[in-house]
Amino acid sequence: MTDTTAHLPHIGQWNSPGELLALQEKQLPQTVARAARSPFYRPRLATAAALPATAADLAGLPLTTKQDLRDNYPYGMLGVAKERLATYHESSGTAGRPTPSYYTQEDWLDLAERFARKWIGISPADVFLVRTPYALLLTGHLAHAAARLRGATVVPGDNRSLAMPYARVVRTLHDLDVTLTWSVPTECLIWAAAATAAGHRPGADFPSLRALFVGGEPLTDARRRRISRLWGVPVIEEYGSTETGSLAGECEHGRMHLWADRALFEVYDPQTGTVAAEGAGQLVVTPLYREAMPLLRYNLEDDVEVSYDDCDCGWHLPTVRVLGRAAFGHRVGGAQVTQHRLEEVVFSLPDAHQVYFWRARAEVVSLRVEIEVPPEHRAAAEAALTAGIRAEFGVDADVTGLPPGSLIPTEALTNMPDVVKPRSLFGPDEDWSKALLYY
């Protein structure tokens, strides 16, 4: 992909929140005009005395919800002629009607450039393993496009595919001298287990690796540090969605910054119905350079904390702490237990205990937790985690140490399935049960 993003804002073109707001409001009228062409927004905007031209004007419009996108499947949000579309996508985990998203080729330049805003950099010297789904999701295509925009070699590892089992992931990481990866954080732990099963040492036998790019699930500081120590490289987080692309990325000081030069952000309090520029609540986004599917005040429904405090990186962009939807949690006794807080406790266990995989069930008065742990560390890990949960939540926990391979089966780490193409003619000694089962 040729980098023709000169018309887009780039970091360094503003020096204060006021200049950033001016940049946003310069683009906003075009954003609203594009939205007015879509069947969904046309009636909403037709009743306005004037189209919103400032952030304050925009706040007078109702929020756009995920249900709005589902109700207008497939093309009710379309703001351009269908012939101009480059790709169509749907979000993961959608029940019932899909949540559609679509992009023009011009949209893709903005998408790829935002994802490529990594403080560690992406260059032609990199070998970039993309280990998130392609298919209808945006995530794999997004990283692929960003890596090619910067000239890197892409290894399209995909995910949820029999053609790319964990044994093959480890082989490509090792043999192809992969330098950068893109995945959910949990993948990095599974790769470490698969590498160990293959006789490799994660922190020593992959010397070309220089960073792990992660996103797609909430990540606590404790788990990030554990992954970084395990592989010996920085773990750099990304935040976004299929409906919007990349919305935030980390600076070299480890703070997550919203790409507020490319989108206008608000924080919505569902309890009061009010919005603010910062604080805690649900993140609302208005992408400013979207053509195919303009979104005005789209509520991602992710729990966040946004701040405009200064950061030493000098980007002059708001920072965000993303909690996902973990804040809802479950009641255990008199405590509200969330995955975010519980994960902090689990990954605060000593590295020597080798606890990477766990699961928990909230019960009426206690928490049931299972962890994978080598037999020699089982007693110590169980005792430490029980005490940690009591200290954090004030509730009892039934912690059970399981042998490695119990939660992540060893065969899943080591098997190399025979994924064959379909055929119908077999010899007398061949297994013809796979005639059409090539998936």
Side-chain angles (χ1 to χ4, degrees):
M1 180 183 291
T2 303
D3 188 353
T4 56
T5 60
H7 66 291
L8 297 169
H10 290 79
I11 292 173
Q13 293 180 348
W14 61 92
N15 295 297
S16 68
E19 290 183 12
L20 182 60
L21 178 61
L23 196 68
Q24 293 170 334
E25 293 188 339
K26 180 181 178 180
Q27 179 63 23
L28 186 58
Q30 184 179 51
T31 301
V32 175
R34 286 172 173 167
R37 301 186 191 120
S38 78
F40 174 73
Y41 285 113
R42 192 178 300 125
R44 283 195 175 189
L45 295 171
T47 58
L51 293 181
T54 67
D57 295 340
L58 191 69
L61 295 179
L63 299 181
T64 302
T65 67
K66 291 179 185 291
Q67 191 59 49
D68 289 329
L69 270 58
R70 296 185 187 113
D71 291 344
N72 285 272
Y73 165 85
Y75 293 120
M77 310 296 294
L78 188 63
V80 297
K82 195 183 299 184
E83 292 77 11
R84 290 199 56 215
L85 294 184
T87 60
Y88 171 88
H89 305 273
E90 293 176 4
S91 296
S92 61
T94 299
R97 292 173 69 86
T99 305
S101 296
Y102 19 89
Y103 299 90
T104 64
Q105 187 60 32
E106 289 75 15
D107 288 334
W108 267 103
L109 291 171
D110 174 40
L111 286 171
E113 202 278 334
R114 275 185 279 147
F115 185 94
R117 286 178 164 182
K118 301 287 187 285
W119 67 263
I120 204 167
I122 304 172
S123 78
D126 283 309
V127 179
F128 193 131
L129 173 65
V130 178
R131 181 58 177 175
T132 58
Y134 280 67
L136 283 177
L137 298 182
L138 185 73
T139 172
H141 304 278
L142 180 58
H144 191 124
R148 291 302 307 131
L149 183 71
R150 294 291 181 255
T153 299
V154 176
V155 181
D158 203 356
N159 198 354
R160 303 290 185 249
S161 169
L162 286 179
M164 196 69 180
Y166 286 109
R168 178 170 283 180
V169 172
V170 170
R171 177 179 63 76
T172 57
L173 280 169
H174 184 269
D175 295 355
L176 302 184
D177 295 324
V178 168
T179 59
L180 301 171
T181 68
W182 166 240
S183 69
V184 296
T186 297
E187 280 278 310
C188 302
L189 294 170
I190 298 176
W191 300 343
T196 301
H200 298 301
R201 297 163 298 167
D205 295 338
F206 301 83
S208 297
L209 190 66
R210 64 190 190 92
L212 301 165
F213 299 155
V214 300
E217 60 177 346
L219 178 66
T220 60
D221 289 340
R223 182 158 64 130
R224 179 208 298 270
R225 290 192 296 267
R226 178 68 60 85
I227 294 170
S228 182
R229 290 194 300 268
L230 191 57
W231 285 99
V233 298
V235 176
I236 301 172
E237 194 173 6
E238 169 88 11
Y239 171 62
S241 73
T242 289
E243 303 95 291
T244 63
S246 174
L247 294 175
E250 285 188 26
C251 71
E252 60 184 315
H253 298 285
R255 299 185 72 184
M256 182 87 76
H257 290 267
L258 290 168
W259 303 137
D261 60 317
R262 304 288 179 87
L264 196 153
F265 295 96
E266 303 168 88
V267 180
Y268 170 67
D269 184 343
Q271 301 299 320
T272 64
T274 59
V275 294
E278 56 186 324
Q282 296 179 345
L283 190 65
V284 173
V285 57
T286 299
L288 292 170
Y289 292 88
R290 185 79 170 271
E291 287 189 326
M293 186 174 145
L295 293 171
L296 302 180
R297 308 194 74 212
Y298 177 59
N299 185 9
L300 285 158
E301 300 176 11
D302 284 337
D303 294 323
V304 299
E305 295 175 355
V306 174
S307 171
Y308 276 79
D309 290 345
D310 287 338
C311 178
D312 291 338
C313 70
W315 284 357
H316 303 292
L317 289 167
T319 58
V320 62
R321 183 167 175 253
V322 183
L323 303 176
R325 294 176 193 121
F328 294 106
H330 297 277
R331 297 295 298 182
V332 177
Q336 181 80 353
V337 177
T338 67
Q339 178 168 323
H340 198 270
R341 290 175 63 196
L342 185 55
E343 181 180 287
E344 282 279 2
V345 179
V346 172
F347 285 100
S348 295
L349 292 173
D351 289 6
H353 291 171
Q354 300 175 46
V355 174
Y356 305 130
F357 307 117
W358 62 282
R359 64 185 180 189
R361 174 174 289 163
E363 298 181 343
V364 177
V365 296
S366 67
L367 196 63
R368 180 182 175 188
V369 184
E370 293 182 339
I371 56 176
E372 276 193 11
V373 58
E376 63 271 24
H377 301 300
R378 176 175 175 173
E382 288 177 343
L385 187 52
T386 300
I389 291 171
R390 164 57 67 177
E392 177 68 21
F393 298 105
V395 300
D396 292 329
D398 178 13
V399 179
T400 303
L402 304 174
S406 299
L407 299 180
I408 301 290
T410 302
E411 56 267 26
L413 304 176
T414 58
N415 280 4
M416 189 76 77
D418 180 18
V419 181
V420 298
K421 295 180 180 179
R423 65 186 174 110
S424 299
L425 180 62
F426 292 78
D429 298 322
E430 292 184 296
D431 178 9
W432 69 347
S433 66
K434 293 184 178 181
L436 298 176
L437 298 179
Y438 62 97
Y439 47 84

